[in-house]
Amino acid sequence: MSQMLDMLHYPFAQHALIAATLIALTCGLVAPFVVMRDMAFAVHGTAELSFPSAVAGLLIAGDAVSGALIGSCVVAVAFALLGRRRSESNTAIGVVLAFGLGLGVFLLSFYDGFSSAATNILFGSLVSASTRDVLILGVLAVLVVITMVVIFRPLLFASVDPAVATARGVPVRRLGLVFLLLLALTVTEAAQVVGTLLVLSLAITPAAAARRWTANPIAFTALSVLFALLAADGGFLLSLALSDTDIKASVLIAFTSFAIYLVSFVAERLRRNAGRPHPQPATT
């Protein structure tokens, strides 16, 4: 504990903690709609397909984050155009996913810089967050939060019953595109912490855990944000406490997120068993 507190006096740890908090906030807000709209594969696809653009940004401008941001937005628009129905969208993601990963590995073969800059794209590097990175994350977080507050009710309606929402005049397709763009921003943010390979641990798992506790949309979203904060900040603080080891913060964040889900899963099962009527013994 003392080692963790001592590490928090360093600027890199403070930047990392702020970055983790901002990313957890945006992921917690977006994740419930990812679960409600059954878009887990879209999250995975967006994260994986931002990998080649991140490598391209690294090669062209030495900035993987900007490359990933541009690429993930392009991918989000492509998903919206290639597949209007959910089955079509998943097929479109699957079609281009393997190509995107192959392209990323191909581009990576031309990179002659430090290997850590490349591997950070896949596994994240929270401790390398600079003041500039924190400011960019702050701007993105404000943008995501404001947009989600504005579209929360119509997006909820469109997510729960898109047919009725369309009949009521809700712009379901435009909302879907806006949400995909927000998802792209969120996934790009989360990838800086946990990398493209573990991005599901913040973009989906907190909402999956929150869903085990409540079906109320407001409570669902609040719990998702809380669990994302516990996973991101708790995992990072745990990495500081274990700084003598070589365990990356992204791994501990993923473990913490999964532990929250397991606790939620067990608690839901216990509540169901407690509310289930016990069979009465047979009488003669």
Side-chain angles (χ1 to χ4, degrees), residues 150-164:
V150 172
I151 69 171
F152 185 86
R153 293 188 66 181
L155 182 62
L156 178 62
F157 191 11
S159 301
V160 173
D161 198 333
V164 176

Side-chain angles (χ1 to χ4, degrees), residues 24-40 148 152 155-157 159-160 179 202-230 260-261 264 268 271:
L25 177 61
T26 55
C27 285
L29 282 173
V30 171
F33 290 96
V34 173
V35 173
M36 285 188 284
R37 298 168 73 90
D38 193 19
M39 295 179 65
M148 285 299 297
F152 185 86
L155 182 62
L156 178 62
F157 191 11
S159 301
V160 173
F179 180 71
L202 284 180
I204 294 177
T205 307
R211 198 174 194 178
R212 299 286 178 178
W213 293 95
T214 180
N216 180 281
I218 302 298
F220 182 19
T221 304
L223 277 178
S224 175
V225 172
L226 175 62
F227 290 158
L229 288 170
L230 288 175
I260 294 171
Y261 177 79
S264 302
E268 182 191 37
R271 292 198 311 272

Side-chain angles (χ1 to χ4, degrees), residues 43-52 97 100-101 122 187 196-197 199:
V43 172
H44 177 66
T46 303
E48 298 293 342
L49 291 172
S50 67
F51 172 59
L97 182 57
L101 287 174
L122 295 174
V187 167
T196 57
L197 296 181
V199 72

